Every structure is written in C-alpha cells, then in structure tokens.
Amino acid sequence: LGLLREVEVWGQGEVFYRQTGVLKRAKDAKDIERFERIRRERENELELRVVRSSTQSLPGFIYTPSAYAVDSPRYLESLRAACEGRGARFRRELVRSLKSLRREDYSAVVICAGAAVGTIAELEGKFPLRLSETFGAEVDGAAPNLHMVHPEDHSQLLPVDPSLLGQCYVVGQPGGRAVLGALHSNEPVAAEDAIAGRHLEVSRGSGLEEDSRMEEMGRGVVGKAAGLFPGLLSSAGLDRVHCGVRALPPKSEEGRLPICGKLGDGEWYLLGLGARGLLYHQYLGSRLARAVISGDETALPEVTRRCEKK
C-alpha cells in the first residue's frame, strides 16, 4: 500500500486503486466457525469482521475493510513512468539467450520472465514451475455486490461496493461493470504462449476457433463467479475475455510462495509469483535489490530460496 501511494504521487495524482473491502461468503455454519477462528488468530494483525446472517441464502460472511482493488495495468504504467522519472531506462526487446545480455557488460542481470522463462535457451526446464493458462472476464450490467448482503448487515461494511472472494473474485466497477476471475484450463501450455497475453472483445469476435474458445472460457468464468451469491450475475452480459499464463511455484510449508535467488555470477532470478504478483513484487523486489548490491543471497527470505535448480 505504501508503494501504491508513492507511485500515485510520482504519477501526478493518477488514481489506480480504491479501498473496497473484501467479503467472503460462508457456505454453512462450519465456515462461520472457521472465520471466527481466523479472526481471533489475526486480531493483532488485521481487522476482520465476521457476520452471522439469518437468511438462508447467506449464512454469514467474513469481511476485511482494509482491502483495496487495484487497476494493475494503470498501476504498472504509472510505476514505469515513476521509475523513468528517477533515471531508469527501459528497452523493449525479446531475449532468447543470456548470451545477448552478457555481451552488454551489465553489473547484474535479474531474470523476471514469469512463465516465459523457458523461452530463454539456457533456462529452459531449469526451474520447477507449473504453467497454467488462466482466463479472466469483464461483464456489463452487473448488480452491485452490496445487493447480495442483507440490508440489516450493511452497517458492518464500508459505504462502498465490496469486492467478493471465493473460488473466484468479483470486483465491481463504475457503471455496472465488473471484473471477474479466474478460471484455469486443462490444456497443455508452452512457455512460448506466455510471451504475450490474449484478449477478446466479445462483440467483435471473428468466429474463428480461438475466439470461440476464448468466449467459451469467458462464459465459464462468469458461471463460476455467479456461484458466489445467488442471482449475483443474472443480468450481466459478457463483454471482454483476457487470457494469460501463470507460472506456479512448488509448494512450501507456507504455501505457494515465489522463488528467488542467485543463478550464477552476477545473475539472479525472481519467478513463480503466480496470481500474487501485486502482493509480493514490492517486498521481494526490495529484498532482491539488497541481495544483488551486497552479493549476499541470504538477504532473501529463506523460504524463497528453496528452489533446487536443474
């Protein structure tokens, strides 16, 4: 959050995040008890509100008022502009081999290629990452998420439309729009597929097989998101579909945390952020910069150095 605010200042007031709070619905009384346990365990770290509802369709929910919704493309554009304003230089180039970077005589190289890391010749098959083709969607005509909460419980929420979380997420936007995600396909995916994302504006679909598949997966996202609350997306229409490839890291005792470390002399990596790039990038980027400058890999969290490179 601190970095978001700094980038907002650097970007001359460009607003790309807003506090919405996030709400997760309980399926039954057992969920409510689990939510209560989580609230007690985290009470010194984070404000969590557990609400028991008397309605059959909504046994209750857990609500985090301090959660923010971030427009990640606009944030990344502002972050890049802020870095350029502080002297950073960017060059857009497809790198197929580390040899081309080594010829540039950089003092250090950090590999942050995500799921496309396997397209770099020396790194193909080197890291234990599982690639996942992932779809998100945008809809028009969505009812406000707040309508899914009984009016008697509105006092427990911020006076804004909350984001919803479950097996997927729903983030309301102005004008009845909503952003939904995510749905994973079971199709095999290659590192080459991760070089660029794919996007479909449904009304302009070409009818080609790939567009038809994108639309089908987009409707799958809507169907999955609709299961969060009865009637949530009953009046919504599919507008856009987005597809990208995530690089999922191996599990650790703390979950699927990213992997980072030293690759070789002057070469480092930060990979496997999966669906949590916005959550981890600032913290791990800062720790990695410290490690690169000092040449000391132990400046990185031990759990992120768990990767056994091939």
Side-chain angles (χ1 to χ4, degrees), residues 23 54 87 118 146 211 304:
L23 184 151
S54 59
L146 188 62
D211 282 0
T304 66

Side-chain angles (χ1 to χ4, degrees), residues 105-117:
D105 196 30
Y106 292 114
S107 58
V109 172
V110 180
I111 309 299
C112 302
V117 68

Side-chain angles (χ1 to χ4, degrees), residues 18 140 171-178:
R18 55 197 171 87
D140 275 326
V171 182
Q173 304 290 317
R177 295 184 63 80

Side-chain angles (χ1 to χ4, degrees), residues 3-147:
L3 179 61
L4 293 176
R5 288 171 175 162
E6 287 186 49
V7 172
E8 181 183 11
V9 172
W10 296 340
Q12 299 180 339
E14 172 76 6
V15 178
F16 43 77
Y17 66 98
R18 55 197 171 87
Q19 185 174 0
T20 63
V22 66
L23 184 151
K24 184 170 184 177
R25 175 195 182 196
K27 297 186 292 292
D28 50 37
K30 287 184 178 180
D31 270 352
I32 291 292
E33 296 306 317
R34 182 168 60 89
F35 291 165
E36 287 284 12
R37 186 179 68 253
I38 293 171
R39 183 189 61 78
R40 289 192 298 270
E41 291 172 351
R42 302 293 183 182
E43 62 183 352
N44 295 325
E45 306 170 19
L46 183 68
E47 182 185 358
L48 296 169
R49 303 173 188 173
V50 177
V51 177
R52 298 173 184 267
S53 178
S54 59
T55 62
Q56 187 175 0
S57 62
L58 178 62
F61 56 85
I62 188 170
Y63 177 68
T64 310
S66 59
Y68 283 75
V70 180
D71 185 330
S72 52
R74 289 171 64 193
Y75 161 65
L76 293 173
E77 289 172 5
S78 296
L79 179 60
R80 173 172 176 155
C83 291
E84 288 175 328
R86 278 159 170 70
R89 289 183 294 169
F90 292 86
R91 186 169 72 188
R92 189 178 182 89
E93 180 181 327
L94 186 61
V95 175
R96 291 294 189 179
S97 171
L98 293 178
K99 292 179 181 178
S100 62
L101 299 176
R102 290 164 181 161
R103 287 195 297 266
E104 297 284 349
D105 196 30
Y106 292 114
S107 58
V109 172
V110 180
I111 309 299
C112 302
V117 68
T119 65
I120 301 174
E122 297 88 342
L123 304 181
E124 184 179 1
K126 197 173 187 69
F127 298 96
L129 299 172
R130 181 169 67 84
L131 305 190
S132 173
E133 185 184 40
T134 307
F135 294 82
E138 296 179 44
V139 297
D140 275 326
N145 294 337
L146 188 62
H147 286 184

Side-chain angles (χ1 to χ4, degrees), residues 223-243:
K224 184 179 179 183
L228 288 177
F229 283 90
L232 176 63
L233 298 171
S234 58
S235 60
L238 181 63
D239 183 37
R240 292 185 174 90
V241 185
H242 309 285
C243 176

Side-chain angles (χ1 to χ4, degrees), residues 102-267:
R102 290 164 181 161
R103 287 195 297 266
E104 297 284 349
D105 196 30
Y106 292 114
S107 58
V109 172
V110 180
I111 309 299
C112 302
V117 68
T119 65
I120 301 174
E122 297 88 342
L123 304 181
E124 184 179 1
K126 197 173 187 69
F127 298 96
L129 299 172
R130 181 169 67 84
L131 305 190
S132 173
E133 185 184 40
T134 307
F135 294 82
E138 296 179 44
V139 297
D140 275 326
N145 294 337
L146 188 62
H147 286 184
M148 302 301 112
V149 179
H150 194 278
E152 292 181 1
D153 298 326
H154 285 186
S155 62
Q156 298 290 330
L157 310 179
L158 295 174
V160 294
D161 200 36
S163 299
L164 305 181
L165 184 64
Q167 291 297 310
C168 54
Y169 60 82
V170 177
V171 182
Q173 304 290 317
R177 295 184 63 80
V179 177
L180 323 174
L183 184 67
H184 307 276
S185 81
N186 295 318
E187 296 294 323
V189 60
E192 290 287 341
D193 299 324
I195 291 178
R198 305 193 302 279
H199 309 276
L200 172 69
E201 190 170 341
V202 174
S203 63
R204 298 183 180 182
S206 65
L208 296 176
E209 182 178 354
E210 178 55 29
D211 282 0
S212 296
R213 179 172 179 266
M214 286 276 286
E215 182 173 349
E216 179 184 358
M217 294 303 291
R219 296 197 183 282
V221 176
V222 176
K224 184 179 179 183
L228 288 177
F229 283 90
L232 176 63
L233 298 171
S234 58
S235 60
L238 181 63
D239 183 37
R240 292 185 174 90
V241 185
H242 309 285
C243 176
V245 181
R246 290 175 177 169
L248 304 178
K251 283 186 177 180
S252 70
E253 291 182 359
E254 290 80 9
R256 290 193 182 276
L257 296 179
I259 54 175
C260 55
K262 193 168 186 177
L263 186 62
D265 187 26
E267 295 173 349

